[in-house]
Amino acid sequence: MEDNDTVRNDHLAYMRLALSLARKSPPKPTNFCVGAVLVDAATNTVLSTGYTLELPGNTHAEQCCLQKHAAAHDLPEEQVSRALPAETVIYTTMEPCGKRSPGNLPCVERILRTRTDQKGGISKVYLGVKEPEKFIGQNVGQTKLREAGIECIHVPGLEKDILETATAGHIKESDA
Ligand code: HJL
Ligand code: ZN
């Protein structure tokens, strides 16, 4: 018997959508191409989508998702929680970053910030793969989220495609 959560939301379908978004990200050797989908789990509807470098600047998928949703409600990203339903969740092909290059706020902080007012904000993060230890060593993203009471749930099944897409712009050993 499937639990209610599985009945209401097709996690793999949302992860596939996130992967199709990740494929739109311009490949670059210094980051990962990631896709993200913000979902109202109560009504099973997509609120916003994003992919790495979709918005101007050095933008991450989760960041684009939140910034686009905020902009659609005439809000700055810091106040996006005002436009988030009580059961908001995010699907991302790669676990959110806990650390970024200087001057960029990590996506974990952006997600935690949605929970600072009385309303729920983002309560669950569904992720396709952990971040490979290539740029920042071990990503502390999931640990930070869990410590703050946000559930991090691995959605299995697309790891190979997600990693191939994420590293599309990387220099392969065979090319060196
Ligand atoms: C996630 C993204 C993205 C990454 N991770 N979850 N979503 N690009 O959209 C993580 C990776 C960083 C590099 C370079 N990638 O992006 O650790 O310049 O992209 O801050 O460490 O850091 P910047
Ligand atoms: Zn990030």
Side-chain angles (χ1 to χ4, degrees), residues 9-173:
N9 296 302
D10 188 345
H11 301 308
L12 195 56
Y14 283 127
M15 198 52 77
R16 282 209 174 92
L17 176 58
L19 175 58
S20 71
L21 291 155
R23 291 198 172 109
K24 295 186 178 186
S25 174
K28 221 178 131 178
T30 52
N31 71 6
F32 293 110
C33 297
V34 176
V37 186
L38 196 64
V39 171
D40 179 355
T43 58
N44 206 1
T45 47
V46 173
L47 299 169
S48 182
T49 63
Y51 57 86
T52 312
L53 302 178
E54 180 182 13
L55 293 180
N58 182 7
T59 49
H60 279 192
E62 302 90 326
Q63 174 184 3
C64 291
C65 226
L66 289 168
Q67 282 183 1
K68 283 165 67 184
H69 188 66
H73 291 84
D74 288 323
L75 292 167
E77 191 203 333
E78 306 87 84
Q79 291 177 31
V80 70
S81 65
R82 293 171 57 194
L84 292 179
E87 283 186 56
T88 305
V89 301
I90 193 165
Y91 290 80
T92 178
T93 56
M94 187 175 286
E95 68 178 303
C97 65
K99 199 172 155 189
R100 285 206 61 179
S101 52
N104 295 294
L105 187 68
C107 294
V108 161
E109 309 299 335
R110 294 172 194 274
I111 290 169
L112 293 179
R113 181 163 78 171
T114 68
R115 291 165 63 85
T116 47
D117 66 9
Q118 307 89 323
K119 280 178 49 198
I122 295 176
S123 57
K124 289 182 188 174
V125 175
Y126 293 95
L127 55 103
V129 296
K130 284 183 65 172
E131 179 174 340
E133 290 189 27
K134 183 154 189 174
F135 300 120
I136 52 149
Q138 206 173 1
N139 183 358
V140 293
Q142 272 191 79
T143 312
K144 277 196 183 171
L145 289 168
R146 288 210 173 96
E147 276 170 8
I150 298 187
E151 258 189 272
C152 295
I153 303 147
H154 175 226
V155 178
L158 301 173
E159 291 85 350
K160 189 171 167 285
D161 287 347
I162 286 173
L163 286 170
E164 256 171 40
T165 303
T167 59
H170 295 192
I171 295 158
K172 307 280 181 309
E173 265 168 43

